């Protein structure tokens, strides 16, 4: 009796075509959110520069890399949930929670930047923070790693909410 040439995994690998489809399905909403958010923010950076902002705000050059990393983690987490079997009872709720969260992720830059309203932005980011917590919990019910992938995003949104509130108070 010979040993297999490579170790057996606990779970059978997805067929390549299915893995690519899930990866595309996970990336599509995240890329759309990034593009729409950028579209709302860039024309309004001049306005943002005129606002009274707190001293604890991070440097502007940090925003792009941090948001890119967080969006990448979101896509990875969503992929991990999508690849789980359809029959898992918590999977549909996790998918719905993610779609609500990504929608609110798009809403915030429009509320804050495009509408030029820190107060409206604060309301949107509070809703987003709740959605991230719910989504992270739902993801964790389906796949533990997917839930943990949203933790850095939750902390960043919490910090952004504090920054947003400070700006709303000062302006």
């Amino acid at each position: 009796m010979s040993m297999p040439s490579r170790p057996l995994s606990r779970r059978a690998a997805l067929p390549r075509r299915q893995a690519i489809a899930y990866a595309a399905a996970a990336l599509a909403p995240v890329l759309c959110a990034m593009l729409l958010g950028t579209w709302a923010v860039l024309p309004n950076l001049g306005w943002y520069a005129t606002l009274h902002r707190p001293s604890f705000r991070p440097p502007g050059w940090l925003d792009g890399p941090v948001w890119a990393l967080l969006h990448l983690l979101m896509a990875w987490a969503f992929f991990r949930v999508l690849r789980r079997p359809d029959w898992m009872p918590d999977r549909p709720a996790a998918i719905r929670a993610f779609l609500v969260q990504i929608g609110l992720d798009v809403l915030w830059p429009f509320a804050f930047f495009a509408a030029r309203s820190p107060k409206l932005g604060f309301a949107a980011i509070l809703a987003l923070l709740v959605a991230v917590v719910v989504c992270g919990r739902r993801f964790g019910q389906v796949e533990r790693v997917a839930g943990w992938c949203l933790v850095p995003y939750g902390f960043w949104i919490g910090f952004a909410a504090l920054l947003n509130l400070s700006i709303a108070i000062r302006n």
Side-chain angles (χ1 to χ4, degrees), residues 39-58:
W39 186 58
V41 171
L42 287 181
N44 294 294
L45 287 177
W47 166 78
Y48 180 72
T50 68
L51 297 176
H52 298 286
R53 295 168 288 169
S55 61
F56 62 86
R57 75 182 187 283

Side-chain angles (χ1 to χ4, degrees), residues 5 8-9 18 27 34 39 45 51 63 65 69 81 95 99 104-105 112 116 127 130 135 141 147 158 165-166 169:
S5 60
L8 299 174
S9 66
Q18 191 175 17
L27 282 171
M34 289 175 68
W39 186 58
L45 287 177
L51 297 176
D63 281 343
L69 177 62
V81 168
I95 292 169
L99 295 175
L104 291 169
D105 186 83
F112 186 96
R116 295 184 175 193
V130 169
C135 185
Q141 291 169 337
L165 176 62
S166 179
I169 291 170

